C-alpha cells in the first residue's frame, strides 16, 4: 500500500518568497526542519508531515526547466473536508480557480495554479 509522501518543486531564488507565501496562505503549510543537504531549499509542513520540498535552483537551471515544461505532470491532487474554507482562502488572496461538481459522486473539484504554473486540484 502506498500513500502520498511529498512533492518536490525546483524554484528559482527570486520566486521562493512567492511560493512560500502561496502555500502558507492557501493551505496554511509552514516552513520547518530540513536535513542538511548539498543544495539549498526549504520544506513545508502540514502539522508534522513534510509535504512539499522546495529545491532552490539557479536562473539558468530555472530557464532549462521552464523550456522543458512539467513533462507528464498535469497536476497534484489533495482532499479536504473543508471545501468552503479552502474557497474562502482562495478568494481572500485573489487566487483564481475553477470548480467542477461531479453529480454522480457529489464530489466537488477545485482547480488552480501555484506561482510556478503547477496545476493543483482539491477534492471535497
Amino acid at each position: 500500500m502506498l500513500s502520498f509522501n511529498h512533492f518536490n518543486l525546483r524554484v528559482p531564488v527570486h520566486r521562493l518568497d512567492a511560493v512560500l507565501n502561496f502555500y502558507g496562505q492557501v493551505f496554511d503549510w509552514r516552513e520547518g526542519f530540513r536535513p542538511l543537504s548539498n543544495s539549498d531549499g526549504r520544506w513545508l509542513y502540514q502539522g508534522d508531515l513534510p509535504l512539499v520540498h522546495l529545491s532552490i535552483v539557479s536562473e539558468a537551471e530555472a530557464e532549462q526547466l521552464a523550456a522543458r515544461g512539467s513533462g507528464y505532470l498535469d497536476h497534484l491532487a489533495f482532499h479536504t473536508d473543508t471545501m468552503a474554507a479552502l474557497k474562502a482562502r482562495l478568494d481572500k488572496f485573489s487566487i483564481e480557480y475553477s470548480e467542477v461538481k461531479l453529480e454522480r459522486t457529489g464530489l466537488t473539484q477545485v482547480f488552480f495554479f501555484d506561482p510556478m504554473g503547477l496545476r493543483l486540484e482539491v477534492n471535497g
Side-chain angles (χ1 to χ4, degrees):
M1 177 182 247
L2 295 174
S3 64
F4 182 76
N5 183 268
H6 75 273
F7 65 92
N8 181 282
L9 295 176
R10 294 182 176 272
V11 179
V13 68
H14 77 276
R15 301 295 304 271
L16 182 62
D17 287 340
V19 172
L20 290 170
N21 288 335
F22 176 86
Y23 285 102
Q25 291 169 345
V26 174
F27 295 120
D28 202 27
W29 293 343
R30 299 290 171 229
E31 192 172 342
F33 173 76
R34 179 176 182 266
L36 291 176
S37 174
N38 291 334
S39 63
D40 194 11
R42 306 290 187 277
W43 280 13
L44 296 176
Y45 283 72
Q46 177 179 317
D48 294 333
L49 185 63
L51 287 179
V52 183
H53 298 179
L54 303 174
S55 298
I56 299 173
V57 297
S58 69
E59 294 300 320
E61 188 174 355
E63 288 178 24
Q64 290 174 344
L65 291 167
R68 186 175 70 201
S70 60
Y72 288 103
L73 179 63
D74 180 61
H75 66 273
L76 298 173
F78 303 91
H79 175 81
T80 184
D81 291 327
T82 57
M83 183 62 78
L86 172 72
K87 292 192 307 186
R89 289 183 90 119
L90 294 171
D91 290 338
K92 176 181 177 181
F93 296 108
S94 301
I95 298 168
E96 293 183 29
Y97 62 91
S98 62
E99 184 175 343
V100 175
K101 293 185 187 227
L102 303 176
E103 299 300 326
R104 294 177 76 184
T105 63
L107 189 69
T108 298
Q109 296 176 307
V110 171
F111 294 92
F112 53 98
F113 292 88
D114 82 353
M116 298 302 295
L118 180 62
R119 188 163 74 126
L120 301 174
E121 170 187 331
V122 179
N123 298 296

